[in-house]
Amino acid sequence: MKITSLNRAKPSLCFLIFLLLPFFMMAQNGKIKITGKVLDESNQPLPGASVLLKNSNQTSITDFDGKFEITVPNENAVLSISFIGYKTKDIATNGKTSLNVNLELASESLNTVVVVGYGEVKSKDLTGSISTVKLADINKQPVANVGDAIQGRAAGVQVITSGKPGDNPTFRIRGTGTIGNNDPLIVVDGMPLTGGLNQINMNDVESLQILKDASSTAIYGARGANGVVIITTKRGSVGKSSLSFDFSTGISQATDILQVLNASQFASLHNDILNNAGLTPNPDFQNPESLGKGTDWVDAFFKTGIQNNYTMSYTAGNEKSKVYTSLNVFDQKGIIINTDYKRYIFQFNSDTKVSDNIKFGNSLKLNHDIKSQGDYNIQNALISLPTQPIYRENGNYSGPIGQAIYSGDVDNPIGKANIIDNSTKGYNIQGNIFGELTFLKNFKFKSLAGAEANFWKSRTWAPTYNWDSKIGQNAFLSESSNQAITLLLDNTLTFSKKFDSGINLTAVVGTSAQQNKFEYISGSIQDFPSESTQTLNNGIAQSTLHGSGSEWAIFSTFARANFDYKSKYYATATVRRDGSSRFGTGNKYGTFPSASLAWRISNEDFFKSKSVNDLKLRLGYGVTGNQEIGNYSFSSNYNTYLYNFNGNFVSAAIPTVLPNSNVKWESQEQYNIGLDASLFNERVNLTLDAYIKNTNDMLVPQSVPVTSGYSDIFVPYINAGKIRNKGIELVINTKNIQKDKLSWNTDFVFSLNRNKVIDLNGDAPLVTGGLGLNYNVSRIKEGLPINVFYGFVQDGIFQTQAEVDNHAIQVQGTSSSNSTSAGDIRFKDLNNDGLITDADRAYIGNPNPDFSASLNNTLTYGDFSLSIYLQGVYGNDIFNANRLYNEAMSITTNQSTAVLGRWTGPGTSNSMPRAVYGDPNNNNRASSRYIEDGSYLRIKNVSLTYNIPTDFGKDKIFDYAKVYLSGQNLFTFTKYNGFDPEVSTNGIDNNIYPVTRIISLGLNVGF
């Protein structure tokens, strides 16, 4: 039976062995088949990924859907999976024959979340031009606000800082786009900021992005033309509670004090001034050398400043609730006597998760600052006579004694800076509350309600004084207060979904409503019976009262869609429609669209390069607006008058400005092309952008005939001008050395911009660059960059009277004391008519730089880190208006040491004219004499940091601690002869508070 059964089973058994034989043979020959799929961090296929069998040459490449197939020798084989731009991952098969593998981005920068308008996006998915500032590079800089810290660190962003305590920096993003307001929109925690950046504590900042091109800023519509700065403050995180303390103290000095004449040098100059004018010299100056050095007013006026910065912060959080709070105290004593600034900031941010679908939170900032200064005047400190003391023997401040031609007529600058009190106190609140509801898996609704309240109180008090010939007979008091209240309500609905086809789609629609109301009141009075009671009701003479108010509102709807197909093809489309109270009747609403595309070339199957890890091309176009045109530009202005009509006074309101009901926003269209690349295994990362930015409908003054009955001086503005900016931006980050204890990273930023005025609604240039008394040195003209300098062209110095006689007539007279003479400046006769007149003026300088650049090197060895940051600009001109006063040599004021090289006879000088009272040749007229090269290279910051070990024996005292030594504005290499080449955006240096050098020591501890 058994034999018979076995014989019957043979066919079936043979057939089973036949079926299983290949599998046994494959196992014996190492041919286990493994199939699978390689995906990115978003579960999207990665075509072209490499699947390598470890310790062999056997490789498989994923197909279009990320699928692969490979045979392995046994069930314990290890696969190494790699893809350009992603971290290589080793996977043990462990007997599995099917695998799905997710790779992580190798570059942290590509995976960084970037905050954009009403949303977030990973940096690898950006289609627009956005600069993200590395906060790690700037946290150790002892600066008062964010603007000072980011100077030079973002391509295409020009930041002009000031050394004056409490001043806010000036921003220009991709050039000057209008003759009006060029300030960017600043958004803090989702709210537009109407106050200054001084309201923000650097230690509270979590991230900082600068939106530059129209495809990025169009989401802000009529407020996006000048760029957008988005600041996000820190929030709590899940984990251990943390308390940190950051303290720094520093000293500051002027970077380059201008040298002026001492007493004996001034006396010699003064003798020349009067002798050359045929006047009798000062008898006290017969022997100049006997006067010695005299009074150093500049040294007494400038001092060493001190600043202290304290921040204490606390953060805590769990799965349900998170909180961040901080307190900051900043105290700065300026480098000029009696110029101080104090600031107090309290920050409180919280997030609460009610359920998986509902959360809410808030951001709150309370700020109080005090700016105080005397009636300081840098120019008066430079020109005060060194022959005059600061104090008289009785302790009073001195004033000039005797004739002004001998003793001068300058008020004592030390006394004015000390006895006069100018102060401004600010009380600022910015806060918002928000709620988020997530529903239907892919939808999120967010509502944010915010308010900003700014209150300022200003006070000026000037007591009576009697300083020799200078007498202040009546005490003066002026007080003013103003308030600005801004309300905001934003609602957004966001849809986000990742489709199996490889498409990622994020769309947001929303509305925004904002309202602002401003009120101002001021009063002043003189003559106080008792100066101990300094109130307005205590004065008795010349009282004044002023007040005003204004308001504006804007309502907007917007939408944006971000499209991504398999991390290769990207598209972003944005549109915003704004309705603003600032626009004219027929132009209340404006529509601002934009679109951008990106192509990640490195993810294409045909792209094979071991040296290029990531390569993306970007294109963008959009239209934005500038609503900062004033609140009532569409209407007429009225002045009130009292008329005597038949012996009775009758009040009347008289229109003074012709209304323009068609006024609208200034529109700006921008084209952008960019390239992002990561090279050599992430060792080199670069971003290159080129752009063209056309400002259309720019507001320019309208020509109004007098016959209209309206003023031809105070005129309306019409949308008729055009300005073009075009430029190139380059950012390169390199990892030069990356070892366990040693690293060296370099960041290079380069910006080039060319500005040109295309249209001004007429051929007549606009006169700008006013220095007072109808003295203007700049023009805005079609075909030229904005604010070019305009004046006469210096052509050396007349060495002999024969040269004067053979040249075009400049000033005719009877002698060298009242006409052009040897030693005077020779000006070019540009129209060859034999006369030097206003028709011989030309465009003599350009304040706009050819390019700007910065270079930051960070070296880390063990617990030490050294950062060296260089920053500079090239190719800009500066009109050094200070030289109008300290190189005039025409009245009784002190001068700079540059006049020691003045003309005193044939061949002695061909650049510095003679000294002569009254300046008969008008050597001091606006000319190329005062145009200087403003290029500079600055060692902006050097910081040395040491991370203190946290363990001492068995006890851990703190979680982290570091001490740092920092130097800000250490050295400046420049040909400029003023205090500092970093002047205002119009390129005019006129009594500007200089940038300071700061040396500080800091400590940061966390518990």
Side-chain angles (χ1 to χ4, degrees):
M1 294 290 295
K2 292 181 181 179
I3 296 174
T4 304
S5 299
L6 179 62
N7 291 333
R8 292 178 178 176
K10 280 184 179 180
S12 299
L13 181 61
C14 292
F15 181 73
L16 179 62
I17 294 173
F18 177 80
L19 292 176
L20 295 177
L21 184 61
F23 294 96
F24 286 114
M25 293 179 63
M26 185 166 54
Q28 291 176 348
N29 296 330
K31 294 183 179 181
I32 298 176
K33 183 188 295 184
I34 305 293
T35 61
K37 183 181 288 188
V38 179
L39 309 170
D40 64 11
E41 75 285 357
S42 300
N43 289 321
Q44 298 303 315
L46 288 177
S50 173
V51 181
L52 170 68
L53 176 63
K54 292 279 282 189
N55 302 318
S56 77
N57 295 322
Q58 192 170 348
T59 304
S60 176
I61 303 297
T62 59
D63 62 14
F64 185 78
D65 295 318
K67 296 179 180 179
F68 70 90
E69 180 181 299
I70 191 171
T71 57
V72 299
N74 55 61
E75 61 182 10
N76 295 320
V78 177
L79 301 179
S80 179
I81 303 173
S82 61
F83 186 73
I84 294 175
Y86 288 79
K87 296 179 181 178
T88 299
K89 195 170 187 178
D90 290 344
I91 299 293
T93 58
N94 293 328
K96 296 178 181 178
T97 58
S98 179
L99 298 172
N100 281 348
V101 182
N102 289 86
L103 297 184
E104 297 178 5
L105 280 170
S107 173
E108 293 182 2
S109 61
L110 291 177
N111 215 18
T112 301
V113 174
V114 177
V115 179
V116 296
Y118 307 100
E120 297 177 342
V121 64
K122 288 186 178 180
S123 58
K124 74 181 184 67
D125 299 330
L126 285 175
T127 59
S129 181
I130 299 177
S131 290
T132 298
V133 179
K134 296 180 181 179
L135 296 181
D137 294 338
I138 62 180
N139 279 336
K140 295 185 290 293
Q141 294 188 39
V143 293
N145 61 59
V146 178
D148 292 336
I150 67 175
Q151 185 181 34
R153 296 188 184 273
V157 182
Q158 181 187 16
V159 182
I160 303 295
T161 63
S162 169
K164 184 178 179 181
D167 263 16
N168 281 293
T170 300
F171 282 84
R172 291 292 181 269
I173 297 178
R174 291 189 165 179
T176 300
T178 173
I179 65 174
N181 190 316
N182 283 275
D183 297 333
L185 176 67
I186 298 175
V187 179
V188 181
D189 292 331
M191 278 197 62
L193 181 71
T194 59
L197 283 172
N198 274 326
Q199 296 182 19
I200 301 171
N201 174 23
M202 266 298 307
N203 289 310
D204 289 337
V205 178
E206 177 70 25
S207 67
L208 193 155
Q209 277 81 35
I210 302 173
L211 282 56
K212 298 181 294 186
D213 70 331
S215 65
S216 301
T217 62
I219 193 70
Y220 290 101
R223 293 186 290 182
N226 296 326
V228 181
V229 179
I230 297 182
I231 297 172
T232 305
T233 57
K234 296 177 180 178
R235 310 196 74 82
S237 57
V238 177
K240 176 188 173 184
S241 300
S242 175
L243 177 67
S244 67
F245 180 73
D246 198 327
F247 164 72
S248 68
T249 182
I251 59 174
S252 57
Q253 297 175 326
T255 54
D256 191 6
I257 297 291
L258 192 67
Q259 300 299 309
V260 295
L261 302 177
N262 61 33
S264 62
Q265 292 169 335
F266 167 75
S268 178
L269 168 68
H270 193 257
N271 290 339
D272 283 353
I273 289 175
L274 297 186
N275 282 326
N276 291 336
L279 302 173
T280 303
N282 188 342
D284 295 336
F285 296 167
Q286 290 183 2
N287 184 9
E289 294 297 327
S290 65
L291 299 177
K293 292 185 177 180
T295 302
D296 191 338
W297 289 90
V298 176
D299 183 67
F301 191 72
F302 287 91
K303 64 174 184 176
T304 298
I306 299 175
Q307 70 177 40
N308 295 306
N309 195 5
Y310 310 84
T311 297
M312 183 173 64
S313 61
Y314 173 77
T315 181
N318 53 43
E319 295 297 333
K320 291 291 185 180
S321 179
K322 294 179 290 185
V323 64
Y324 172 84
T325 185
S326 71
L327 178 64
N328 170 251
V329 179
F330 183 81
D331 187 0
Q332 182 180 13
K333 308 291 184 183
I335 61 171
I336 293 176
I337 54 175
N338 203 17
T339 55
D340 306 325
Y341 176 63
K342 289 184 179 181
R343 182 190 67 194
Y344 308 87
I345 299 177
F346 173 74
Q347 181 84 37
F348 180 78
N349 297 342
S350 70
D351 299 272
T352 300
K353 188 176 182 181
V354 179
S355 66
D356 291 339
N357 297 328
I358 300 174
K359 75 173 185 176
F360 62 87
N362 82 280
S363 299
L364 176 65
K365 190 186 321 299
L366 305 179
N367 171 285
H368 170 49
D369 60 3
I370 305 170
K371 301 175 186 177
S372 59
Q373 64 181 50
D375 184 21
Y376 80 88
N377 189 303
I378 298 176
Q379 194 61 63
N380 281 353
L382 295 173
I383 65 176
S384 291
L385 302 188
T387 54
Q388 175 186 326
I390 298 175
Y391 301 96
R392 296 300 179 191
E393 293 182 357
N394 60 5
N396 289 341
Y397 290 108
S398 70
I401 298 177
Q403 302 178 57
I405 194 174
Y406 290 154
S407 304
D409 194 33
V410 178
D411 287 353
N412 189 314
I414 306 298
K416 281 292 190 72
N418 279 323
I419 71 166
I420 294 177
D421 175 35
N422 287 312
S423 63
T424 300
K425 296 180 179 180
Y427 304 86
N428 310 291
I429 303 172
Q430 188 192 44
N432 65 68
I433 57 175
F434 65 87
E436 288 185 3
L437 171 64
T438 302
F439 60 99
L440 298 179
K441 188 179 179 180
N442 303 114
F443 290 89
K444 181 175 70 175
F445 175 77
K446 180 177 181 179
S447 184
L448 181 147
E452 181 179 2
N454 300 305
F455 305 91
W456 299 276
K457 291 185 177 181
S458 298
R459 181 179 185 271
T460 298
W461 166 255
T464 58
Y465 61 90
N466 189 337
W467 305 335
D468 302 325
S469 62
K470 292 294 183 179
I471 299 175
Q473 294 182 343
N474 294 323
F476 172 81
L477 176 65
S478 172
E479 292 185 345
S480 65
S481 64
N482 52 44
Q483 65 178 34
I485 308 295
T486 305
L487 302 177
L488 175 73
L489 178 62
D490 285 350
N491 292 291
T492 57
L493 178 64
T494 303
F495 170 80
S496 181
K497 184 174 176 60
K498 299 175 180 179
F499 297 90
D500 294 337
S501 61
I503 294 176
N504 291 334
L505 178 63
T506 301
V508 59
V509 295
T511 63
S512 178
Q514 190 172 5
Q515 181 185 46
N516 174 274
K517 187 173 183 179
F518 173 81
E519 294 178 353
Y520 168 81
I521 188 171
S522 70
S524 66
I525 201 165
Q526 298 184 30
D527 195 359
F528 287 72
S530 172
E531 295 187 12
S532 61
T533 307
Q534 301 171 11
T535 58
L536 289 173
N537 64 349
N538 193 41
I540 59 177
Q542 300 187 38
S543 62
T544 64
L545 180 64
H546 301 282
S548 65
S550 64
E551 56 185 319
W552 59 265
I554 184 171
F555 178 78
S556 311
T557 56
F558 54 85
R560 179 181 59 218
N562 295 87
F563 172 88
D564 161 21
Y565 180 64
K566 293 189 175 182
S567 297
K568 287 195 292 187
Y569 311 111
Y570 300 86
T572 301
T574 305
V575 63
R576 178 163 175 146
R577 184 165 175 80
D578 287 319
S580 175
S581 64
R582 288 176 167 171
F583 304 152
T585 304
N587 296 290
K588 289 293 184 184
Y589 289 89
T591 302
F592 304 93
S594 76
S596 55
L597 302 171
W599 175 27
R600 174 160 277 109
I601 305 171
S602 55
N603 279 6
E604 293 289 356
D605 293 337
F606 64 79
F607 189 85
K608 307 292 182 184
S609 175
K610 293 183 179 180
S611 59
V612 180
N613 307 112
D614 188 76
L615 183 63
K616 183 174 68 175
L617 179 66
R618 294 177 282 107
L619 294 171
Y621 169 80
V623 178
T624 53
N626 181 11
Q627 74 147 11
E628 300 302 320
I629 63 176
N631 288 335
Y632 306 108
S633 298
F634 57 85
S635 64
S636 179
N637 289 342
Y638 288 80
N639 286 337
T640 57
Y641 292 91
L642 286 177
Y643 286 93
N644 190 329
F645 185 74
N646 291 333
N648 297 316
F649 286 99
V650 179
S651 61
I654 307 299
T656 57
V657 178
L658 182 69
N660 175 16
S661 60
N662 294 318
V663 71
K664 64 177 182 179
W665 59 90
E666 297 178 333
S667 64
Q668 186 182 97
E669 62 174 358
Q670 189 171 170
Y671 304 84
N672 192 91
I673 181 171
L675 182 71
D676 303 320
S678 181
L679 313 173
F680 310 117
N681 197 26
E682 312 291 340
R683 299 292 292 269
V684 178
N685 299 280
L686 66 87
T687 298
L688 177 65
D689 280 277
Y691 63 88
I692 297 177
K693 186 172 73 171
N694 296 318
T695 301
N696 303 312
D697 303 318
M698 183 178 69
L699 289 175
V700 294
Q702 180 181 7
S703 299
V704 177
V706 180
T707 54
S708 68
Y710 289 92
S711 170
D712 62 340
I713 298 176
F714 303 102
V715 299
Y717 279 72
I718 59 175
N719 299 96
K722 293 183 180 180
I723 285 182
R724 173 174 295 163
N725 285 275
K726 55 183 179 180
I728 297 173
E729 301 164 356
L730 175 64
V731 179
I732 302 177
N733 312 114
T734 63
K735 299 175 182 178
N736 309 311
I737 298 176
Q738 293 292 313
K739 295 185 178 181
D740 291 340
K741 288 188 176 182
L742 176 65
S743 67
W744 172 25
N745 298 331
T746 299
D747 300 311
F748 174 72
V749 177
F750 175 86
S751 305
L752 179 150
N753 183 78
R754 295 292 180 267
N755 175 278
K756 186 177 182 180
V757 179
I758 305 299
D759 189 5
L760 285 176
N761 193 36
D763 296 330
L766 300 180
V767 178
T768 60
L771 300 178
L773 301 176
N774 294 321
Y775 197 113
N776 298 88
V777 299
S778 304
R779 298 291 187 272
I780 301 176
K781 180 178 173 57
E782 291 182 8
L784 296 176
I786 196 168
N787 289 325
V788 289
F789 300 124
Y790 186 72
F792 294 90
V793 180
Q794 181 177 0
D795 189 26
I797 303 291
F798 291 116
Q799 300 297 321
T800 64
Q801 188 59 41
E803 291 183 5
V804 176
D805 296 338
N806 292 327
H807 186 66
I809 298 173
Q810 297 189 165
V811 177
Q812 287 185 310
T814 58
S815 67
S816 62
S817 63
N818 60 21
S819 64
T820 303
S821 179
D824 284 327
I825 293 177
R826 177 172 54 228
F827 297 103
K828 285 188 177 182
D829 182 14
L830 298 181
N831 62 359
N832 296 315
D833 64 353
L835 298 172
I836 301 299
T837 63
D838 284 348
D840 293 302
R841 292 180 294 176
Y843 295 96
I844 54 177
N846 179 8
N848 303 285
D850 290 341
F851 66 83
S852 61
S854 68
L855 181 69
N856 186 63
N857 281 285
T858 302
L859 294 96
T860 301
Y861 181 76
D863 292 324
F864 289 91
S865 178
L866 175 65
S867 174
I868 303 174
Y869 178 47
L870 308 179
Q871 177 263 332
V873 300
Y874 177 81
N876 61 305
D877 295 316
I878 296 176
F879 189 94
N880 192 346
N882 299 309
R883 293 172 56 193
L884 293 169
Y885 307 96
N886 52 43
E887 292 181 12
M889 299 181 292
S890 60
I891 57 175
T892 307
T893 57
N894 199 16
Q895 307 286 275
S896 75
T897 54
V899 304
L900 295 175
R902 65 187 178 274
W903 188 91
T904 55
T908 54
S909 175
N910 200 40
S911 58
M912 185 67 66
R914 64 175 177 148
V916 54
Y917 194 85
D919 187 16
N921 185 55
N922 195 10
N923 290 321
N924 220 29
R925 70 185 79 183
S927 70
S928 57
R929 173 187 179 187
Y930 304 111
I931 302 298
E932 297 188 37
D933 184 1
S935 305
Y936 70 86
L937 175 63
R938 171 169 287 156
I939 302 179
K940 186 68 177 177
N941 182 265
V942 176
S943 296
L944 177 62
T945 303
Y946 174 64
N947 292 316
I948 303 172
T950 58
D951 295 325
F952 292 87
K954 296 182 179 180
D955 298 325
K956 187 175 183 179
I957 301 177
F958 39 73
D959 292 333
Y960 63 88
K962 60 183 178 182
V963 61
Y964 56 89
L965 178 65
S966 177
Q968 187 84 355
N969 302 319
L970 289 177
F971 299 101
T972 303
F973 306 94
T974 182
K975 295 180 180 179
Y976 182 61
N977 292 312
F979 278 105
D980 191 89
E982 191 174 337
V983 300
S984 58
T985 53
N986 65 6
I988 299 174
D989 186 0
N990 185 29
N991 204 27
I992 292 176
Y993 202 111
V995 172
T996 60
R997 178 187 295 117
I998 305 173
I999 307 295
S1000 63
L1001 180 66
L1003 174 67
N1004 182 221
V1005 182
F1007 302 91

